[in-house]
Amino acid sequence: MSVTAPQGFRAAGVVAGLKDSGARDLALVVNDGPSRAAAGVFTTNRVKAAPVLWSQQVLQGGRLHAVVLNSGGANACTGPAGFQDTHATAERVAAVLDTSAGEVAVCSTGLIGERLPMDRLLPGVDAAANELTRGDGGLAAADAIRTTDTVAKIAFRQSEHGYMIGGMAKGAGMLAPSLATMLCVLTTDADLPAQALDRALRAATGVSFDRLDADGCLSTNDTVLLLASGATGVTPEEEEFTRLLTEVCHDLTRQLLVDAEGASKAIAIEVIGAASERDAVVVGREIARNNLLKCAIHGEDPNWGRVLSAVGTTDAVFEPDQINVAINGVWVCRDGSFGDDRDKVDLRPRDVSITVDLSAGPHSATVWTTDLTADYVHENSAYST
């Protein structure tokens, strides 16, 4: 179970005919309450898809009754007509649920620059509404939002105090902050106001989705929504809720990482000894985006010089002759020079760890990335054809 694990939620995933493959391509998640508190975080790309613009407006009210999501088309860079299509989608959901379009978020994913076939999408909304269930609906919804994802991505956690948090996500390419090219819906049956949900969501995504950087490409459609039904009547401490929510987000982030397009390595870059958390993130992200290093890891070559080269392009506080680097636990660089024999590094496993000690302070951060493979280039060389 995913988004339907918490009480008060139903979901569905159906075939609307948006994908040539005939696979599921439209999902609906409904919050039956009694609360409809909600929060969201969105792409920081200045070019935003119509559904992002719509959902940002909707979330200003801090309430959501439903979320409708489609794969098979991003509805991005489609002009006023595309925004009208988003509005029409929300209105259709509102009509079948007898609610307000102002409490319906819309999410889309797929190819940029093409309008959605509304003659298929709108009947798909009707079909999804007829199939809403708390049983298999969560998994069907997670399946329906996939694009190049090879598997559906779901997660949930249960608190010892009686409430649950569930989630589903999609994303395999264009994985970069803010958030990653992803759609994600998180649900909880805890009873929290929108302001508390917003604080928890920003804290959780800030150390999970926002630190996944597979290819440095920032999407136009990134959306993460958090809905609370309040069905358990439990009002948890905000710190506890944030911790549990962060666990769910980390779980989904890991699933996004290992399913990234063409990837053969999942790389964790931990930067320690930083003067600030900001410095640690900046350094980690620069390393994650270094194509020479990503190629070296793919070739199972522990070329630590490429790590130092990437660090040196940042404005972080450090002294070059005080940097230490470990790859899979072997400190191959000490004090900015050679350390232990690089031949001791075993890069055959899928999981790779790179630790960079800046020796400049007490702060740390971890950024996740993947290697650069011929499969990634092949998959993205003909994405729109």
Side-chain angles (χ1 to χ4, degrees):
M1 298 174 70
S2 60
V3 291
T4 54
Q7 298 176 44
F9 292 94
R10 293 175 294 151
V14 300
V15 177
L18 309 180
K19 291 178 177 175
D20 293 337
S21 65
R24 291 189 182 106
D25 49 22
L26 189 137
L28 184 61
V29 180
V30 175
N31 179 0
D32 291 321
S35 174
R36 293 181 182 174
V41 290
F42 301 89
T43 181
T44 57
N45 196 319
R46 292 173 61 193
V47 178
K48 291 179 172 60
V52 169
L53 297 173
W54 170 268
S55 297
Q56 283 181 315
Q57 292 179 14
V58 167
L59 259 297
Q60 290 178 8
R63 288 169 57 89
L64 283 180
H65 188 179
V67 183
V68 58
L69 312 94
N70 74 270
S71 53
N75 194 8
C77 305
T78 49
F83 190 83
Q84 291 171 7
D85 291 341
T86 294
H87 189 181
T89 303
E91 291 283 2
R92 188 63 159 254
V93 173
V96 297
L97 296 180
D98 191 23
T99 190
S100 166
E103 292 189 9
V104 178
V106 181
C107 302
S108 299
T109 183
L111 186 63
I112 294 172
E114 292 185 357
R115 288 188 64 186
L116 293 169
M118 298 302 289
D119 59 332
R120 286 174 255 166
L121 190 150
L122 296 180
V125 170
D126 300 339
N130 289 330
E131 294 190 19
L132 287 168
T133 177
R134 195 180 170 215
D136 297 331
L139 185 57
D143 179 57
I145 62 176
R146 293 192 297 139
T147 49
T148 57
D149 306 65
T150 63
V151 295
K153 300 170 176 67
I154 60 174
F156 70 94
R157 296 289 189 278
Q158 181 161 13
S159 165
E160 60 184 15
H161 296 110
Y163 68 90
M164 296 189 72
I165 301 175
M168 67 177 187
K170 64 78 49 185
M174 288 184 75
L175 291 175
S178 170
L179 306 180
T181 287
M182 56 177 299
L183 303 181
C184 177
V185 178
L186 300 159
T187 58
T188 183
D189 47 20
D191 188 10
L192 288 167
Q195 296 88 340
L197 295 177
D198 183 75
R199 288 190 294 268
L201 184 61
R202 292 180 186 279
T205 58
V207 295
S208 56
F209 300 130
D210 195 38
R211 294 188 182 174
L212 174 60
D213 198 332
D215 54 17
C217 298
L218 176 59
S219 170
T220 56
N221 290 62
D222 298 339
T223 301
V224 181
L225 302 173
L226 173 59
L227 288 68
S229 70
T232 61
V234 176
T235 301
E237 293 292 330
E238 194 170 318
E239 182 178 353
E240 175 204 308
F241 180 80
T242 301
R243 177 186 58 77
L244 203 64
L245 180 66
T246 302
E247 287 184 16
V248 174
C249 290
H250 272 305
D251 190 336
L252 292 170
T253 298
R254 169 69 183 180
Q255 294 180 54
L256 294 171
L257 175 66
V258 298
D259 194 36
E261 290 174 348
S264 67
K265 304 290 186 183
I267 308 168
I269 302 165
E270 183 184 20
V271 180
I272 62 177
S276 66
E277 184 177 5
R278 179 263 180 194
D279 275 8
V281 173
V282 166
V283 169
R285 212 180 301 289
E286 195 66 28
I287 295 169
R289 293 182 173 184
N290 187 288
N291 284 337
L292 286 176
L293 176 64
K294 290 158 74 73
C295 289
I297 299 301
H298 176 61
E300 300 180 354
D301 174 14
N303 192 336
W304 57 266
R306 292 178 178 178
V307 177
L308 261 64
S309 179
V311 175
T313 66
T314 72
D315 62 357
V317 175
F318 68 87
E319 292 297 331
D321 59 358
Q322 294 179 10
I323 300 176
N324 306 302
V325 176
I327 300 178
N328 279 359
V330 179
W331 289 94
V332 288
C333 169
R334 297 181 186 275
D335 297 325
S337 184
F338 51 83
D340 296 344
D341 187 351
R342 70 173 69 194
D343 289 340
K344 296 179 180 179
V345 179
D346 183 4
L347 285 175
R348 289 173 296 177
R350 180 182 181 90
D351 286 312
V352 175
S353 66
I354 298 175
T355 304
V356 178
D357 181 3
L358 296 179
S359 303
H363 299 278
S364 63
T366 301
V367 174
W368 296 274
T369 190
T370 60
D371 55 342
L372 181 57
T373 69
D375 287 341
Y376 174 86
V377 174
H378 176 73
E379 185 159 347
N380 284 281
S381 64
Y383 180 76
S384 66
T385 54

